[in-house]
Structures are given as structure tokens and as C-alpha cells.
Amino acid sequence: MRKYLRTLRVQHYIKNGLICLAPFFGQILFRPDIMKSVALSILAFSFISSSIYIINDIHDVEKDRKHPKKCKRPIASGEISIVQAKRICATLMLLSVVLQCFIGARELAAWMVLGSYFLINILYSVYGAKDKPLVDVCLLASGFVLRVFYGAANTQVDISVWLLLVITSGSLYMGFGKRRNELVLSGDRTREVLRLYNKNFLSQSMGAMMTLSIVFYALWCMEKDTVERVQRFTYTVPIVMLILLRYSFIIEKDSDGDPVNVLIGDKALLLLCAIYITVLCWFIYLK
């Protein structure tokens, strides 16, 4: 069982929490019908993302076998055969489609998001987009943005432009951080694209994206406070600043820069995120 969970990369399912974002801020997340849609949406997106990981592992199996860490992955190590992997991949894709039919077979926007996510990741993993500087980071960031759109589409909630800009700049910030730490820890030996980046550019890009994330978030908070005529959300800006600063502090160490590993590996960061979510719940649902 463990080898299958490793192949599916279940630890990365935490990213799918972004699907909750639109209904959460739309003040409808805890309605029974919405909770059902969100839960099924998270499952559907989890299955499609796992199928992408398997496709990537199959495509890169020979490279992974020569990598000091990736050679331990179930497909690269031979724990799971290529034939088994293809069957699992096909099953996951079918389950994702079936779940979306249950959520809303006529939700064209949701189908477009799922399809876009799949195609973008095929371009990234199979057709070499991950070897193109800037393109690789933009495609990585698009996965986070599409998760937000998917949740919005399945719950029919509009998303603030400022909030989308926060997610976009924040995703680029994490993407540049991931590439920066890959470069620092392993030079240009693991990814071809790392030969085209340098540490200064990636560090500066991280700083720019972090600054934009804070500015866009502050603008979203001010917009929210103006609409509700009560100054509340602006007070959460310092918490977001601390979260981003803590994230930067962690990846300056020996982290590989992977957002999931950074988040679940630091108790202080988890605590800050928990405080932030608690405060938002108070402001939105218990006001």
C-alpha cells in the first residue's frame, strides 16, 4: 500500500485546499451542499494530479534511475511496473471524470479547468516546457491558480481580481523559491533548466513576488473592508507578512524549496497559518 501512496504523491494533496478558497471567502463554504461539492472537487483534482505524477514518472523513468533520490520512487525502482502504473493512471483519470460528473456534468468552466490543468502538465512533463526558463515557473504557478478557479467554478462563486493576483504572485514566489533551492543544493545536475538560471535572478524574483503578494493582499483587504464598511481584514496583513517572511527564512536553510515540504516541516509556519485561518473564520463567519 505504501508504494502506491508514494506513487500518487498523496502528501501533495494539501495543495488542493486552495479549492476551498472561493467558497470560503464567498461565505458559503459550510453549507452542506457546498461542502459536498468541495469535498468531491478535492478528490477529483487529487486524482487528476496523481495521474499527472504517474505520467511524469513513466516518462522520466530512465533519468530517475540515475538520480540519487528519485531512483527510490516506486516506478523508477521497479516496485511498480510500467504496465501497473499505466493502469493506475487510467483508473485515476476515469475516477476524476466520474466525480466531476457527480459534481456538475454541465459545469463547462470546471471541465475546462480540469482539462487545462491536464494539458499544461503534459506540456510541462512530457513536451519539455519544464526545461524552458520562466515558462517552467509560470506553469508550476498556474497549477495553484487553476485550483482556485476549479473551486470557484464548481461552487459558482466569483473571485476578487485582487485575490487572484495574490494567488498568482504567491505561486510565482514559491516557484522561484523551489528553483532557487534546487540550484543551490544541486547545481545544474538535476534539471536542465537550472543551467539557465542563476541564484541572484531567482532571489530577486522571489523578493519581487513576495512584495507584490503583500501589496495585492493589502489591496484585497482594503476592498473587502470598504464593501463591508468595517475595518477588519486589513489587520490580517501583518500575519500574512510574517507567514511569507517565515517561509523565506526556512528556504534559506537546506530546504529543497518544495512548498509542501516547507509547510508541513515547520511548526512555526503551521502555527502562523493556523492563526491566520482562525482569524479569517472569525471575521467571515462569526462576525
Side-chain angles (χ1 to χ4, degrees), residues 20-29 31 157-158 224 284-285:
C20 302
L21 208 63
F24 176 78
F25 286 118
Q27 298 178 283
I28 61 171
L29 179 60
R31 278 173 34 188
V157 178
D158 293 329
K224 193 82 171 169
I284 296 174
Y285 292 96

Side-chain angles (χ1 to χ4, degrees), residues 217-232:
Y217 181 75
L219 289 168
W220 173 80
C221 287
M222 288 188 285
E223 177 188 64
K224 193 82 171 169
D225 287 342
T226 300
V227 170
E228 297 193 6
R229 298 183 181 181
V230 178
Q231 191 170 13
R232 257 195 310 249

Side-chain angles (χ1 to χ4, degrees), residues 96-136:
S96 182
V97 170
V98 170
L99 283 171
Q100 181 54 47
C101 288
F102 274 110
I103 299 164
R106 297 182 180 179
E107 292 296 342
L108 179 60
W111 286 110
M112 289 177 66
V113 172
L114 273 183
S116 298
Y117 180 79
F118 185 81
L119 291 175
I120 285 171
N121 279 280
I122 291 296
L123 286 174
Y124 179 85
S125 301
V126 178
Y127 290 100
K130 62 183 176 183
D131 297 324
K132 307 295 182 183
L134 293 182
V135 173
D136 65 320

Side-chain angles (χ1 to χ4, degrees), residues 173 177 180-181 185 206 210 242-273:
Y173 162 68
R180 176 190 176 279
N181 278 36
L185 293 177
M206 279 182 65
M210 183 173 73
L242 285 173
I243 289 172
L244 293 176
L245 288 171
R246 179 66 188 178
Y247 190 96
S248 292
F249 177 76
I250 296 166
I251 64 173
E252 284 292 336
K253 298 182 179 181
D254 59 353
S255 167
D256 62 0
D258 185 279
V260 174
N261 294 335
V262 172
L263 177 61
I264 65 179
D266 186 75
K267 292 180 181 179
L269 184 58
L270 283 171
L271 177 61
L272 284 170
C273 291

Side-chain angles (χ1 to χ4, degrees), residues 63-64 66-70 131 179 181-197:
K63 290 182 181 178
D64 289 350
K66 299 174 184 178
H67 193 279
K69 291 184 179 180
K70 295 180 181 179
D131 297 324
R179 286 292 181 264
N181 278 36
E182 287 173 344
L183 181 64
V184 170
L185 293 177
S186 56
D188 59 2
R189 292 173 294 179
T190 58
R191 291 183 185 272
E192 185 176 333
V193 73
L194 296 179
R195 300 173 188 174
L196 305 172
Y197 281 126

